[in-house]
Amino acid sequence: MKKHTKAEPLRPEPFALADAGVGSLEELIRQGARQIIQQVVESELQSLLSSYAHVTSISGQRVVVRNGHHPERSILTSVGPVPVRIPKVRDRSGSGIKFNSQLVPPYVRRSQRISAALPWLYLKGISTGDMSEALQALVGDQAKGLSPAVVSRLKKQWSEDWKAWNKRDLSSEQYVYWWADGVYTGLRADEFDKQCLLVIMGVKPDGSKERVAIGDGIRESKESWRDLLLDLKDRGLKAGPLLATGDGAMGFWAALNEVYPETRHQRCWVHKVANILNALPKSVQGKARANLKEIWHAPTIDVAERAFKRFVSSYGAKYPQAVAKLTKDEGALLAFYDFPAEHWLHIRTSNPIESTFATVRHRSTRTRNCVSRDTFLGLAFKLIEEAEKSWQKINGADKVTALLRGDVFKNGEPVKDNQPIVELRLAA
């Protein structure tokens, strides 16, 4: 296996993975193993049925047909059992044609290397050239018979799954928050040098997270984001979220203002801190990081604004470019103070989407060949679909109802009689 190295981007901190809702890594691996193995087995079956499609009885019936499944059984691995269901076929001719999976033969019960193979499969990716090698690590030499045709059929199925999902009706959907990001993959796709994956995750009225949109575009242009947002509206999503969080890419914000102008903007603090630090010499980055943290971790907007002014005063004379990166987005950086304090951890950064799509970035940086648009979107869709199973509700999910009925919050607390509860407590 070739080793790959890649410079890690600047990522400030510990809450990134926690907020993504990733529970047990081993459970995620088991879920991924089951999904991939099941899809490969189904593709093997289709290959068998296709090879006998021309064989029919006197009455015109196909001789070899699908006939249910064998009882579910488990392949024991070092991360626990992975359940699989092997389909059966019926041979009406009586010649004894049976379906035996090359990937999971009847006698396979244990794979000693699955713990190492599955993370590699997720990170390296699932392509025609890599699949056989990856799955050989799962079940040994029996995977050598996995043909390129089977792999191609899998990729086609994933593309069809994405297309069906991307046409779903949204007229009954409502979101309180969005995270939006453009994932630069490095992949070359058909007529474009690089594909940019456009992604939106949302929070529903019950506080749960879900995929809202997965598309692609040329860079993160306004036109690309506008097409994505208009498609959501055309499929019934008449109102945008109360707040959207993303980085400073102007294309998304310009498109959002045009399609869902009522949605407020929250700039991602993780991206903002990284951009500011990149404009400062290394000798002052440590102190500057701590000063910036005093702003976005402040308990109230008044405290945050005072810390904001101190930063401008401390660094403005020597490092005006770094300070300009902060001051140009002041309002959008502090918007989260008008929402429940329990939600701040989630909405002041786009880390939920950053962490979730790390597998897509890893996968695509290792695939330099040209892929079709449908193949890439299908692959991204399947990886994200699996990750979504481990997403957790946001903290303070019960506060979402208050937001949606129009209750006002200030400094993270609900306002009563035009006076925030936190101020009433201090007065008492």
PDB file of all heavy atoms in Angstrom, residues 39 52 54 58 80 109 128 133 141 191 193 209 212 224 271 274 281 359:
ATOM      1  N   GLN A  39     -23.761  -4.481  -1.018  1.00  0.00           N
ATOM      2  CA  GLN A  39     -23.914  -3.957  -2.373  1.00  0.00           C
ATOM      3  C   GLN A  39     -23.086  -4.757  -3.378  1.00  0.00           C
ATOM      4  O   GLN A  39     -23.529  -4.994  -4.505  1.00  0.00           O
ATOM      5  CB  GLN A  39     -23.506  -2.480  -2.400  1.00  0.00           C
ATOM      6  CG  GLN A  39     -24.514  -1.570  -1.720  1.00  0.00           C
ATOM      7  CD  GLN A  39     -24.134  -0.109  -1.858  1.00  0.00           C
ATOM      8  OE1 GLN A  39     -22.962   0.233  -1.883  1.00  0.00           O
ATOM      9  NE2 GLN A  39     -25.126   0.762  -1.928  1.00  0.00           N
ATOM     10  N   TYR A  52     -27.501 -15.419 -17.664  1.00  0.00           N
ATOM     11  CA  TYR A  52     -28.501 -16.434 -18.036  1.00  0.00           C
ATOM     12  C   TYR A  52     -29.806 -15.801 -18.521  1.00  0.00           C
ATOM     13  O   TYR A  52     -30.820 -16.486 -18.644  1.00  0.00           O
ATOM     14  CB  TYR A  52     -28.803 -17.347 -16.843  1.00  0.00           C
ATOM     15  CG  TYR A  52     -27.683 -18.303 -16.505  1.00  0.00           C
ATOM     16  CD1 TYR A  52     -26.777 -17.999 -15.499  1.00  0.00           C
ATOM     17  CD2 TYR A  52     -27.526 -19.500 -17.198  1.00  0.00           C
ATOM     18  CE1 TYR A  52     -25.730 -18.871 -15.182  1.00  0.00           C
ATOM     19  CE2 TYR A  52     -26.494 -20.374 -16.902  1.00  0.00           C
ATOM     20  CZ  TYR A  52     -25.598 -20.051 -15.888  1.00  0.00           C
ATOM     21  OH  TYR A  52     -24.570 -20.904 -15.588  1.00  0.00           O
ATOM     22  N   HIS A  54     -30.733 -14.822 -21.336  1.00  0.00           N
ATOM     23  CA  HIS A  54     -31.212 -15.312 -22.637  1.00  0.00           C
ATOM     24  C   HIS A  54     -31.746 -16.732 -22.576  1.00  0.00           C
ATOM     25  O   HIS A  54     -32.319 -17.232 -23.543  1.00  0.00           O
ATOM     26  CB  HIS A  54     -30.063 -15.257 -23.649  1.00  0.00           C
ATOM     27  CG  HIS A  54     -28.935 -16.189 -23.313  1.00  0.00           C
ATOM     28  ND1 HIS A  54     -28.052 -15.924 -22.272  1.00  0.00           N
ATOM     29  CD2 HIS A  54     -28.558 -17.389 -23.853  1.00  0.00           C
ATOM     30  CE1 HIS A  54     -27.166 -16.914 -22.202  1.00  0.00           C
ATOM     31  NE2 HIS A  54     -27.456 -17.810 -23.138  1.00  0.00           N
ATOM     32  N   ILE A  58     -39.852 -23.081 -22.474  1.00  0.00           N
ATOM     33  CA  ILE A  58     -40.717 -23.125 -23.653  1.00  0.00           C
ATOM     34  C   ILE A  58     -41.799 -22.050 -23.581  1.00  0.00           C
ATOM     35  O   ILE A  58     -42.187 -21.458 -24.584  1.00  0.00           O
ATOM     36  CB  ILE A  58     -41.369 -24.527 -23.794  1.00  0.00           C
ATOM     37  CG1 ILE A  58     -40.282 -25.582 -24.037  1.00  0.00           C
ATOM     38  CG2 ILE A  58     -42.397 -24.543 -24.923  1.00  0.00           C
ATOM     39  CD1 ILE A  58     -40.807 -27.002 -24.089  1.00  0.00           C
ATOM     40  N   GLY A  80     -15.913  -6.818  15.781  1.00  0.00           N
ATOM     41  CA  GLY A  80     -17.236  -7.353  16.042  1.00  0.00           C
ATOM     42  C   GLY A  80     -17.846  -7.982  14.804  1.00  0.00           C
ATOM     43  O   GLY A  80     -17.281  -7.939  13.715  1.00  0.00           O
ATOM     44  N   ARG A 109     -16.003 -16.978   7.456  1.00  0.00           N
ATOM     45  CA  ARG A 109     -16.573 -16.571   8.744  1.00  0.00           C
ATOM     46  C   ARG A 109     -15.727 -15.514   9.447  1.00  0.00           C
ATOM     47  O   ARG A 109     -16.190 -14.822  10.321  1.00  0.00           O
ATOM     48  CB  ARG A 109     -16.711 -17.791   9.677  1.00  0.00           C
ATOM     49  CG  ARG A 109     -17.827 -18.753   9.264  1.00  0.00           C
ATOM     50  CD  ARG A 109     -19.184 -18.116   9.455  1.00  0.00           C
ATOM     51  NE  ARG A 109     -20.268 -19.039   9.180  1.00  0.00           N
ATOM     52  CZ  ARG A 109     -20.776 -19.254   7.984  1.00  0.00           C
ATOM     53  NH1 ARG A 109     -20.270 -18.613   6.955  1.00  0.00           N
ATOM     54  NH2 ARG A 109     -21.766 -20.097   7.816  1.00  0.00           N
ATOM     55  N   THR A 128     -12.747   1.760  -9.499  1.00  0.00           N
ATOM     56  CA  THR A 128     -12.613   0.506 -10.242  1.00  0.00           C
ATOM     57  C   THR A 128     -11.255  -0.127 -10.002  1.00  0.00           C
ATOM     58  O   THR A 128     -11.135  -1.346  -9.850  1.00  0.00           O
ATOM     59  CB  THR A 128     -12.812   0.761 -11.742  1.00  0.00           C
ATOM     60  OG1 THR A 128     -14.079   1.399 -11.930  1.00  0.00           O
ATOM     61  CG2 THR A 128     -12.766  -0.534 -12.524  1.00  0.00           C
ATOM     62  N   GLU A 133      -8.456  -4.666  -4.784  1.00  0.00           N
ATOM     63  CA  GLU A 133      -7.338  -4.701  -3.845  1.00  0.00           C
ATOM     64  C   GLU A 133      -7.817  -4.491  -2.416  1.00  0.00           C
ATOM     65  O   GLU A 133      -7.388  -5.178  -1.488  1.00  0.00           O
ATOM     66  CB  GLU A 133      -6.325  -3.621  -4.216  1.00  0.00           C
ATOM     67  CG  GLU A 133      -5.102  -3.590  -3.304  1.00  0.00           C
ATOM     68  CD  GLU A 133      -4.181  -2.440  -3.646  1.00  0.00           C
ATOM     69  OE1 GLU A 133      -4.432  -1.762  -4.668  1.00  0.00           O
ATOM     70  OE2 GLU A 133      -3.221  -2.222  -2.891  1.00  0.00           O
ATOM     71  N   ASP A 141      -8.060 -13.956  -0.851  1.00  0.00           N
ATOM     72  CA  ASP A 141      -7.937 -14.143  -2.291  1.00  0.00           C
ATOM     73  C   ASP A 141      -9.267 -14.359  -2.997  1.00  0.00           C
ATOM     74  O   ASP A 141      -9.345 -14.241  -4.221  1.00  0.00           O
ATOM     75  CB  ASP A 141      -7.012 -15.336  -2.588  1.00  0.00           C
ATOM     76  CG  ASP A 141      -5.567 -15.025  -2.241  1.00  0.00           C
ATOM     77  OD1 ASP A 141      -5.251 -13.822  -2.106  1.00  0.00           O
ATOM     78  OD2 ASP A 141      -4.774 -15.970  -2.102  1.00  0.00           O
ATOM     79  N   GLU A 191     -15.430  17.774 -18.258  1.00  0.00           N
ATOM     80  CA  GLU A 191     -14.984  19.011 -18.888  1.00  0.00           C
ATOM     81  C   GLU A 191     -14.326  19.978 -17.911  1.00  0.00           C
ATOM     82  O   GLU A 191     -13.808  21.009 -18.318  1.00  0.00           O
ATOM     83  CB  GLU A 191     -16.185  19.715 -19.562  1.00  0.00           C
ATOM     84  CG  GLU A 191     -17.232  20.258 -18.590  1.00  0.00           C
ATOM     85  CD  GLU A 191     -18.297  19.235 -18.244  1.00  0.00           C
ATOM     86  OE1 GLU A 191     -18.017  18.031 -18.365  1.00  0.00           O
ATOM     87  OE2 GLU A 191     -19.399  19.653 -17.854  1.00  0.00           O
ATOM     88  N   ASP A 193     -11.550  21.040 -14.798  1.00  0.00           N
ATOM     89  CA  ASP A 193     -10.265  20.666 -14.218  1.00  0.00           C
ATOM     90  C   ASP A 193     -10.452  20.128 -12.800  1.00  0.00           C
ATOM     91  O   ASP A 193      -9.806  19.185 -12.385  1.00  0.00           O
ATOM     92  CB  ASP A 193      -9.323  21.868 -14.185  1.00  0.00           C
ATOM     93  CG  ASP A 193      -8.839  22.236 -15.581  1.00  0.00           C
ATOM     94  OD1 ASP A 193      -8.863  21.346 -16.446  1.00  0.00           O
ATOM     95  OD2 ASP A 193      -8.458  23.398 -15.781  1.00  0.00           O
ATOM     96  N   LYS A 209     -29.890  16.522  12.846  1.00  0.00           N
ATOM     97  CA  LYS A 209     -29.171  17.013  11.672  1.00  0.00           C
ATOM     98  C   LYS A 209     -29.455  16.098  10.484  1.00  0.00           C
ATOM     99  O   LYS A 209     -29.635  14.897  10.659  1.00  0.00           O
ATOM    100  CB  LYS A 209     -27.662  17.031  11.932  1.00  0.00           C
ATOM    101  CG  LYS A 209     -27.232  17.844  13.137  1.00  0.00           C
ATOM    102  CD  LYS A 209     -25.754  17.602  13.423  1.00  0.00           C
ATOM    103  CE  LYS A 209     -25.324  18.238  14.730  1.00  0.00           C
ATOM    104  NZ  LYS A 209     -23.943  17.878  15.103  1.00  0.00           N
ATOM    105  N   VAL A 212     -29.075  18.330   3.498  1.00  0.00           N
ATOM    106  CA  VAL A 212     -30.062  19.151   2.803  1.00  0.00           C
ATOM    107  C   VAL A 212     -29.778  19.154   1.308  1.00  0.00           C
ATOM    108  O   VAL A 212     -30.673  18.949   0.491  1.00  0.00           O
ATOM    109  CB  VAL A 212     -30.062  20.597   3.336  1.00  0.00           C
ATOM    110  CG1 VAL A 212     -31.065  21.455   2.564  1.00  0.00           C
ATOM    111  CG2 VAL A 212     -30.374  20.618   4.829  1.00  0.00           C
ATOM    112  N   SER A 224     -23.226  28.942  -9.127  1.00  0.00           N
ATOM    113  CA  SER A 224     -23.334  27.536  -8.723  1.00  0.00           C
ATOM    114  C   SER A 224     -24.194  27.392  -7.479  1.00  0.00           C
ATOM    115  O   SER A 224     -25.074  26.523  -7.406  1.00  0.00           O
ATOM    116  CB  SER A 224     -21.935  26.956  -8.479  1.00  0.00           C
ATOM    117  OG  SER A 224     -21.177  26.943  -9.670  1.00  0.00           O
ATOM    118  N   HIS A 271     -12.668  29.096  10.434  1.00  0.00           N
ATOM    119  CA  HIS A 271     -12.070  29.626   9.211  1.00  0.00           C
ATOM    120  C   HIS A 271     -11.509  31.028   9.431  1.00  0.00           C
ATOM    121  O   HIS A 271     -10.428  31.372   8.944  1.00  0.00           O
ATOM    122  CB  HIS A 271     -13.110  29.670   8.088  1.00  0.00           C
ATOM    123  CG  HIS A 271     -13.405  28.352   7.459  1.00  0.00           C
ATOM    124  ND1 HIS A 271     -14.433  27.547   7.885  1.00  0.00           N
ATOM    125  CD2 HIS A 271     -12.801  27.686   6.445  1.00  0.00           C
ATOM    126  CE1 HIS A 271     -14.461  26.446   7.148  1.00  0.00           C
ATOM    127  NE2 HIS A 271     -13.477  26.502   6.266  1.00  0.00           N
ATOM    128  N   ALA A 274      -8.226  30.995  11.352  1.00  0.00           N
ATOM    129  CA  ALA A 274      -7.156  30.499  10.487  1.00  0.00           C
ATOM    130  C   ALA A 274      -6.706  31.570   9.503  1.00  0.00           C
ATOM    131  O   ALA A 274      -5.509  31.768   9.281  1.00  0.00           O
ATOM    132  CB  ALA A 274      -7.621  29.251   9.748  1.00  0.00           C
ATOM    133  N   PRO A 281       2.730  37.088  11.682  1.00  0.00           N
ATOM    134  CA  PRO A 281       3.973  36.318  11.835  1.00  0.00           C
ATOM    135  C   PRO A 281       3.804  35.253  12.913  1.00  0.00           C
ATOM    136  O   PRO A 281       3.013  35.412  13.855  1.00  0.00           O
ATOM    137  CB  PRO A 281       5.001  37.378  12.247  1.00  0.00           C
ATOM    138  CG  PRO A 281       4.206  38.512  12.786  1.00  0.00           C
ATOM    139  CD  PRO A 281       2.899  38.506  12.060  1.00  0.00           C
ATOM    140  N   THR A 359     -13.821  12.515   5.111  1.00  0.00           N
ATOM    141  CA  THR A 359     -13.627  11.287   4.330  1.00  0.00           C
ATOM    142  C   THR A 359     -13.675  11.567   2.843  1.00  0.00           C
ATOM    143  O   THR A 359     -12.947  10.961   2.065  1.00  0.00           O
ATOM    144  CB  THR A 359     -14.715  10.251   4.679  1.00  0.00           C
ATOM    145  OG1 THR A 359     -16.002  10.858   4.530  1.00  0.00           O
ATOM    146  CG2 THR A 359     -14.548   9.735   6.073  1.00  0.00           C
TER     147      THR A 359
END
